[in-house]
Amino acid sequence: MSIDPVGYAAFVELHHGLYEKYARARLGDAGLAEQVVALVLRRTEADWAWALRDDPAAFAWRSLCEAVTLARKDAPASPLDGLRRDLPDRAADAAILHESLGLEPADAAALMGLEEPAVHAQLKAARRWRADRDAGGA
């Protein structure tokens, strides 16, 4: 089955810049972020027919998160990636996208392939975790 070049091109146009911002925030290295995003988009293109069976945004987001996590070993320390060590992945990603990159919850949800209420729940969990940590003197 061949890919729909228009649909895939529109997907890339919509997500590429935000993927790079997210990867750069976690990796702290713009060049490495560009490489990781290029790899993820090539992988998504190769698996586009499969991605369309479910949700292309969720499919590509999982691939992006996995690739960024693997690339961390080649990247300098990034304060934002500490959220990924301290919080569950979805809560950390929601916090990075909303609080650090300025995306509205609806936009973060669309990027992650989630429903908006799920992102609100993840943001609430992140705030609760931080409050508990701060109250405990950590």
Side-chain angles (χ1 to χ4, degrees), residues 6-108:
V6 174
Y8 176 74
F11 178 87
V12 170
E13 179 72 25
L14 185 62
H15 293 86
H16 185 267
L18 292 172
Y19 283 177
E20 281 195 2
K21 286 181 181 181
Y22 169 82
R24 192 171 33 248
R26 284 198 52 209
L27 296 170
D29 181 314
L32 184 56
E34 289 174 12
Q35 291 174 2
V36 167
V37 171
L39 171 73
V40 166
L41 291 175
R42 282 193 306 273
R43 185 181 306 151
T44 302
E45 181 180 21
D47 293 334
W48 188 243
W50 181 256
L52 289 173
R53 292 176 185 217
D54 185 24
D55 179 351
F59 179 90
W61 184 258
R62 284 189 301 271
S63 182
L64 177 64
C65 292
E66 290 168 6
V68 169
T69 297
L70 287 173
R72 284 287 317 134
K73 66 181 176 20
D74 298 325
S78 169
L80 285 181
D81 200 58
L83 286 174
R84 272 299 207 103
R85 287 187 299 275
D86 296 336
L87 294 169
D89 292 347
R90 280 190 176 172
D93 289 340
I96 290 169
L97 293 172
H98 178 64
E99 297 167 7
S100 301
L101 301 181
L103 270 66
E104 292 297 323
D107 297 327

Side-chain angles (χ1 to χ4, degrees), residues 120-131:
H120 283 288
Q122 297 302 329
L123 290 170
K124 185 176 180 178
R127 285 190 296 273
R128 186 176 29 229
W129 178 86
R130 288 179 182 140

